[in-house]
Amino acid sequence: MSALIKERHRGEMESQGFTVVESVFTEWEMADLAKLIEEHQRRHVERLAAKGGTSGISRAEEITFTDHLAENDPGIMEFVKRPEFVDLTTTFLGPDTDLYWNQSVYKAGKGTKEFPWHQDDGYTAVDPSPYLTLWLAINDVTIENGCVWFMPGSHRLGLTPHEETPIGKACYSLEDPNQGVPAPLKAGSIAVFWSLTMHKSGLNVSNGMRKAFVIQYAHAGLRFAHTAELVPGLTPVARDGIAV
């Protein structure tokens, strides 16, 4: 029996492809996590500046993605294996789960671009799919400062075609009248969604930084869909429903 996930959450994941779990962590826990993340994020921004301000989909003045934080910081690795994540991942994925990917996403104020509609599987297709994305709000996340938006029920479509854009892969137009639903979050709350659920993030038109930590978990034994090779370097989180 999950201490965090109620029948409402299960139903929303099945019907909508996403749910929000409120107040999983305290503001003080998020402040401590931010201290760990921001040393790595600062160095990442410095490297971006040395490369002219952009690298991949990161843009130093607007949005930065700093990946593999847990693999490079024992404190962050301890955090992503906390009992709360064991509970969430085994509830939705089953008893054997691995850490697949993790990255901070910091979106600066006064931005000019939304992050495109996409499915996480659109970046790298894997099997079994879908895996689970946990979008953790480090500070309060609002429509004004660029919360994540979801397209309800889109996970039922399977993996849809994506096209390359200068700011990331896209599978659905930002100009379409139907722009889904927003998911504002208080610090310490988590938007939980399947890797096949279409989502985007809006503009940050506030004066402050929007801070999120995106953690992705998968079934143990994850393989690349196109080659059937095992995905290397995954960190076990649970086996037989118990933390490892």
Side-chain angles (χ1 to χ4, degrees):
M1 179 68 69
S2 170
L4 291 172
I5 301 304
K6 312 304 180 187
E7 285 305 313
R8 171 180 66 82
H9 298 118
R10 296 176 190 270
E12 289 173 349
M13 286 293 283
E14 182 176 351
S15 64
Q16 299 187 118
F18 69 95
T19 192
V20 170
V21 186
E22 300 283 0
S23 303
V24 179
F25 302 105
T26 67
E27 291 184 17
W28 295 273
E29 288 173 312
M30 292 299 89
D32 289 342
L33 177 63
K35 290 176 184 177
L36 295 176
I37 286 175
E38 285 168 14
E39 178 60 28
H40 298 276
Q41 196 259 351
R42 179 186 60 78
R43 292 197 296 266
H44 179 53
V45 171
E46 289 173 352
R47 290 192 295 269
L48 283 178
K51 294 180 180 180
T54 63
S55 178
I57 57 176
S58 285
R59 305 182 300 280
E61 298 302 318
E62 188 161 347
I63 186 170
T64 56
F65 300 81
T66 308
D67 59 69
H68 289 88
L69 290 164
E71 291 83 350
N72 290 289
D73 190 298
I76 299 176
M77 179 61 78
E78 181 180 357
F79 180 79
V80 301
K81 298 175 77 173
R82 281 183 56 148
E84 294 89 344
F85 295 122
V86 174
D87 183 344
L88 282 164
T89 61
T90 56
T91 295
F92 288 116
L93 293 172
D96 301 329
T97 64
D98 290 344
L99 176 67
Y100 171 47
W101 185 263
N102 65 102
Q103 63 183 11
S104 63
V105 187
Y106 276 40
K107 179 172 279 195
K110 305 302 182 184
T112 60
K113 297 181 180 69
E114 293 184 89
F115 195 76
W117 283 104
H118 65 284
Q119 298 164 301
D120 289 337
D121 267 330
Y123 280 87
T124 303
V126 293
D127 182 45
S129 174
Y131 55 86
L132 193 69
T133 296
L134 306 183
W135 201 100
L136 171 62
I138 297 175
N139 61 350
D140 288 349
V141 176
T142 65
I143 293 175
E144 181 187 27
N145 72 7
C147 71
V148 67
W149 292 63
F150 294 104
M151 192 64 67
S154 56
H155 63 302
R156 298 179 181 273
L157 301 174
L159 182 57
T160 61
H162 285 64
E163 63 178 10
E164 297 285 351
T165 80
I167 55 174
K169 293 191 176 186
C171 66
Y172 185 81
S173 175
L174 290 168
E175 305 301 322
D176 192 279
N178 180 9
Q179 288 297 298
V181 297
L185 301 167
K186 289 292 188 181
S189 297
I190 302 175
V192 181
F193 55 99
W194 297 118
S195 60
L196 289 173
T197 303
M198 293 182 185
H199 58 288
K200 69 169 186 175
S201 65
L203 292 174
N204 181 356
V205 297
S206 75
N207 292 317
M209 183 75 71
R210 189 221 67 189
K211 304 177 181 182
F213 186 31
V214 179
I215 321 166
Q216 296 174 328
Y217 298 88
H219 300 272
L222 193 69
R223 295 177 180 271
F224 294 113
H226 298 305
T227 66
E229 295 178 351
L230 286 169
V231 177
L234 304 190
T235 300
V237 172
R239 292 295 183 268
D240 295 323
I242 300 172
V244 296

